[in-house]
Amino acid sequence: ESDGHDVSGPPRPWYEGLDSVKVLRPEDPDLQSVVDDIWKGQESWEGHFNERRFVVILTRGEYPPGFVVPVSYYTSVHGAGAGPEDVSLDAVRSMNGPNGQATNN
C-alpha cells in the first residue's frame, strides 16, 4: 500500500525545496550573486526585523579569487569539509551598520 510518497529515482538532497538553505560549490557560476542577494535582503533595519533566516553551506574546494560572503542579520555560513582546510575562500565579512556600530550586523 502506498502512502503517496514517490520513492522512485535517486534520493533528493535534504535541503531541496528549502529556499533559506543555499548549498554552494566552487564551480557554481552565480556564487557572488547568490550571497549578495541574501545580504541585500537582510541588511539594515528591515533585515533585523524580518522573519527570514538563511544558511549558506560551502562545499569543499577552493572558491574563485574575489569571492566574498557578506553576512548580515540572521545569516549563517558553514564550510562542509572534514577540516577547516577543506574550504578555501577570500573572506566572510560582517558589515557595520549605518551608524558604524558592529551591533548592527
Side-chain angles (χ1 to χ4, degrees):
E1 184 172 315
S2 174
D3 64 0
H5 291 81
D6 181 13
V7 293
S8 63
R12 297 187 321 209
W14 62 267
Y15 52 84
E16 188 174 294
L18 298 173
D19 292 335
S20 62
V21 177
K22 307 297 180 188
V23 178
L24 303 179
R25 293 163 184 76
E27 65 273 10
D28 289 345
D30 57 350
L31 290 169
Q32 195 65 59
S33 64
V34 169
V35 295
D36 287 348
D37 287 348
I38 292 171
W39 183 78
K40 288 173 190 169
Q42 294 300 98
E43 68 171 329
S44 76
W45 288 110
E46 290 79 24
H48 184 69
F49 293 106
N50 71 35
E51 304 222 356
R52 294 183 303 269
R53 307 293 184 261
F54 291 94
V55 62
V56 176
I57 300 173
L58 303 171
T59 61
R60 66 178 58 196
E62 188 168 328
Y63 285 78
F67 176 61
V68 175
V69 181
V71 178
S72 190
Y73 293 107
Y74 308 111
T75 304
S76 298
V77 180
H78 299 273
E85 67 281 353
D86 290 341
V87 178
S88 176
L89 68 150
D90 279 357
V92 175
R93 291 199 180 119
S94 178
M95 315 298 186
N96 287 343
N99 63 5
Q101 296 179 2
T103 57
N104 288 347
N105 53 33

